[in-house]
Amino acid sequence: MIQIKNLSLRRGVKVVLQGCSLTLNPGEKVGLVGRNGAGKSSLFSLLAGRLQADAGDVDFPAKWRIGEVSQSMPENSESATDFVLAGDLPLAEARDLLAAAEASGDGHAIGDAHMVLDEAGAFDAPARAQSLLLGLGFKTDQLDLPVNSFSGGWRMRLQLARALMCPADLLLLDEPTNHLDLDALVWLEGWLKRYSGLMIVISHDREFLDAITAVTVHLDNAGLTRYGGNYSSFEEMRAERLSQQQSAFSRQQEKIAHLQRFIDRFKAKASKAKQAQSRVKALDRLQRIAPVLADSEFEFEFRPPQNLPNPMLTMRELACGYPRPEPGQPPITIVRHITRSVLAGQRIGILGANGQGKSTLVKTIAHALAPLAGEFTEGKGLTVGYFAQQELDLLSEDDTPMQRMVRLAREANANGQEAREQSLRDFLGQFRFVGEMVHQKVGTLSGGERARLVMATIVWGKPNLLLLDEPTNHLDLNTREALSIALNEFEGSVLLVSHDRALLREVCDEFWLVTAGGVLPFDGDLDDYQRWLLEVSRANAKGLAPPPVPGGFLAKPAPSANATTPVKAKPAATPKALARATAADAHTPGAYRRDDRKQSGQARNLIANRTRPLRAELAQIDARMEKLSAERSALEAVLASSSSRSAQIAEAGRQLNHVSAELAMLEERWLALQTEIEAIQAEPG
């Protein structure tokens, strides 16, 4: 176990921990929570041996192995699989032992080393490493690519896989979900639930903490407090504890005031002097209860948009992608045939695995990328507020919050907006840039402070459409809660890409799924999405076609990431080939005539087998289209009714747009399937 006794730690002049005591037991899964800057990462560094305590002790078994995600970006040319394999410390030690034994030529030592190597799992280690990589979203063709070929986010996934590869007794995870999509996040939760050692995780993802932790340690005011339960339980228990503390404080203050009044009234009277002196001693002995000093809550709101065009934007057969760096080469198309609309007031969450095209779609809508094909129509007066994943990295290091806001105010001054410094100070103060912080260089700001600065610039522009691509990566739980509240009160429309399921649940009322090169409506919530992901994973593992997207049509089969290369089956004989083979085997015209009906029956069976999955999909589409047509008729009746309220009309219009777009996509798929069936049936026999 880990025992912390009277621990104190300073970082510069700041007291991070003061007189803390805590016990953590083997096998416990612990969430370490606290506001940004409280010292959570410093405590990790202390446990990992990179920092020394100023006072007190931290005791745990010396033989314990510690697994930790390195925050430095790896720079080497070894393959992804080899990089992750190097995280298995027992395996690395066994290999070193074997190398030393072989160098010495000692046969017994070589035999012993091979036994140690076998105990370390050398035989299946590459498979375990690749399983980790595949679970974290890497493709099979990326497993042997050099580390240097991956971007920063994917290198952090490599660091995570390397840490998970080590059979550690103590696993320290500092924000492990920051660079993961929902698919990889669900996989990581399942892996960590099966982990048998002591795990301590720092995370600002509420649902992630709730899913994997059973103990919560709160770091606040340089103290550590242990709570039994996950994060939601911690919030309830802490609220109750603070309420009890405040009640006890209030009662004590009343008692103190009563004693003080008695002392002040009777201390000068000889007859009461003894009693007054007794009250003074009682007051001195009283152990004072501290008042509840809650952290000031962060909150902000989006300014009312100037107007609300409806629809905000319309996409018809839109294709999105990137131009190739080589001149004259065709662009790389990521998603195509997008036919969707965004109406005023919609809250749309965009789902899909990394690399499917979520950010590409958002960048195209934000004009950061040009459309490759199709139509893209914006409503009159559309104003977009765009939060990009890489936005924090694009901020000028020598800039200051005030300089940035002054430039924005000058650009807007043509529209009559004020650019006075005091109004800009007041505005930045809403985002916790107070006092001299408004003149602090961006290069010295934390990730959370940079994210708040970008959000401030978006709010200043009074957008009516928000495009948010992973806005919470550097935000603590309080700031995420403030963002959720602000988005729910926002009058415009929202397109949100995020792995924060709590934010998606609280903000979005419908979802789009980017998959298989297209964008489909997803008829369900996040629980339905996680169940669908599990079904897809099982289908891939068995080499089967993936299940249909809820609310969409059948997706194209995806190759299994975990399966080995399948053996190619011999293609089924076509009716024409079957007829030729049968005729070749027949030695007389009479024999051919006797088998004629048999051959025709076999040909019909082959055609039926080939068209059966297509006809099954047609039946599904027919049923879905019939249901949607009925919904469309009902919605059109609501819109035509003079008794409908404005709120009903707005909701009916939003749903009608959703239904019409899905019907158009289903009709196109129905025609494609029908054409394919007719082509098979028309093949010459």
Side-chain angles (χ1 to χ4, degrees), residues 401 425 428-429 431-435 437-438 445 449 452-453:
R425 277 183 173 272
L428 285 169
F431 295 87
R432 286 185 173 171
F433 293 100
V434 296
M437 277 194 72
V438 299
L445 298 178
E449 290 165 342
R452 293 203 305 272
L453 177 57

Side-chain angles (χ1 to χ4, degrees), residues 433-606:
F433 293 100
V434 296
E436 290 305 306
M437 277 194 72
V438 299
H439 298 302
Q440 189 173 335
K441 298 288 186 183
V442 167
T444 65
L445 298 178
S446 68
E449 290 165 342
R450 292 187 184 207
R452 293 203 305 272
L453 177 57
V454 172
M455 198 62 68
T457 62
I458 292 174
V459 171
W460 179 265
K462 296 184 179 179
N464 45 36
L465 173 62
L466 290 174
L467 305 176
L468 306 178
D469 191 357
E470 297 292 0
T472 63
N473 273 354
H474 298 277
L475 302 183
D476 59 22
L477 283 160
N478 285 339
T479 309
R480 292 184 185 206
E481 185 68 23
L483 175 62
S484 173
I485 294 171
L487 289 175
N488 277 307
E489 295 176 351
F490 177 57
E491 297 177 10
S493 301
V494 178
L495 288 178
L496 174 62
V497 178
S498 179
H499 65 264
D500 187 329
R501 287 162 294 179
L503 184 66
L504 287 169
R505 290 184 199 277
E506 293 163 5
V507 172
C508 301
D509 51 26
E510 61 183 289
F511 295 98
W512 293 355
L513 176 61
V514 182
T515 184
V519 179
L520 303 174
F522 188 88
D523 187 12
D525 57 18
L526 288 180
D527 293 329
D528 296 321
Y529 179 61
Q530 290 187 202
R531 282 191 290 268
W532 180 76
L533 287 177
L534 183 60
E535 291 173 6
V536 170
S537 177
R538 288 172 177 168
N540 285 342
K542 296 178 180 178
L544 303 175
V549 175
F553 48 78
L554 287 170
K556 293 181 179 179
S560 170
N562 297 319
T564 56
T565 304
V567 178
K568 291 185 178 180
K570 293 178 66 175
T574 64
K576 185 175 181 180
L578 180 64
R580 282 200 305 266
T582 307
D585 290 339
H587 300 290
T588 65
Y592 180 80
R593 287 193 298 270
R594 287 194 301 270
D595 292 336
D596 186 51
R597 282 178 293 182
K598 182 179 178 181
Q599 295 167 16
S600 299
Q602 290 174 328
R604 286 194 300 271
N605 288 337
L606 283 172

Side-chain angles (χ1 to χ4, degrees), residues 100 327 397:
E397 297 287 304

Side-chain angles (χ1 to χ4, degrees), residues 613-626 670 673:
L614 304 178
R615 286 185 280 108
E617 187 175 348
L618 270 179
Q620 288 186 350
I621 292 176
D622 283 334
R624 180 64 180 167
M625 288 175 65
E626 184 177 352
W670 191 94
L673 288 169

Side-chain angles (χ1 to χ4, degrees), residues 35 220 293-299 429 432 434 476 478-479 482:
R35 59 179 175 79
D220 184 48
L293 301 175
D295 294 335
S296 59
E297 295 295 329
F298 172 61
E299 58 183 28
R432 286 185 173 171
V434 296
D476 59 22
N478 285 339
T479 309

Side-chain angles (χ1 to χ4, degrees), residues 105-251:
D106 186 339
H108 289 291
I110 292 174
D112 292 340
H114 276 289
M115 290 180 62
V116 174
L117 200 62
D118 184 61
E119 291 173 357
F123 179 75
D124 64 347
R128 287 188 283 115
Q130 292 182 351
S131 176
L132 289 172
L133 289 170
L134 293 171
L136 290 173
F138 290 85
K139 301 293 188 294
T140 52
D141 57 358
Q142 295 178 309
L143 299 178
D144 295 320
L145 293 180
V147 171
N148 291 340
S149 66
F150 294 98
S151 63
W154 287 97
R155 291 193 199 182
M156 291 310 299
R157 291 195 188 203
L158 286 173
Q159 294 282 32
L160 176 57
R162 185 181 174 113
L164 299 182
M165 188 68 190
C166 179
D169 303 287
L170 171 62
L171 184 60
L172 304 176
L173 299 177
D174 191 350
E175 293 291 356
T177 67
N178 266 1
H179 299 277
L180 303 183
D181 55 23
L182 277 175
D183 304 51
L185 184 54
V186 171
W187 176 89
L188 179 62
E189 283 182 1
W191 193 96
L192 293 176
K193 287 176 182 177
R194 297 189 298 271
Y195 174 69
S196 59
L198 171 59
M199 179 188 72
I200 308 176
V201 58
I202 299 171
S203 177
H204 293 133
D205 187 326
R206 175 192 299 269
E207 291 206 18
F208 178 71
L209 289 173
D210 279 349
I212 66 168
T213 63
V215 175
T216 301
V217 174
H218 185 212
L219 175 50
D220 184 48
N221 292 324
L224 294 173
T225 306
R226 176 186 168 114
Y227 295 83
N230 59 19
Y231 184 81
S232 294
S233 300
F234 150 73
E235 280 194 321
E236 295 174 3
M237 287 186 285
R238 182 166 185 260
E240 179 64 25
R241 180 174 179 171
L242 291 177
S243 176
Q244 292 173 354
Q245 181 181 340
Q246 185 61 37
S247 298
F249 173 76
S250 299
R251 289 194 300 270

Side-chain angles (χ1 to χ4, degrees), residues 378-442:
E378 295 182 347
K380 185 177 181 180
L382 181 69
T383 304
V384 175
Y386 177 38
F387 188 107
Q389 285 193 57
Q390 70 276 16
E391 187 73 22
L392 307 190
D393 299 326
L394 298 178
L395 293 172
S396 173
E397 297 287 304
D398 295 326
D399 214 351
T400 69
M402 179 59 73
Q403 289 171 346
R404 187 174 177 87
M405 292 307 304
V406 166
R407 285 197 301 273
L408 288 175
R410 285 174 180 168
E411 293 171 3
N413 197 41
N415 299 325
Q417 292 194 29
E418 291 287 339
R420 293 177 302 165
E421 180 175 336
Q422 187 56 49
S423 65
L424 296 180
R425 277 183 173 272
D426 293 342
F427 179 77
L428 285 169
Q430 299 175 37
F431 295 87
R432 286 185 173 171
F433 293 100
V434 296
E436 290 305 306
M437 277 194 72
V438 299
H439 298 302
Q440 189 173 335
K441 298 288 186 183
V442 167

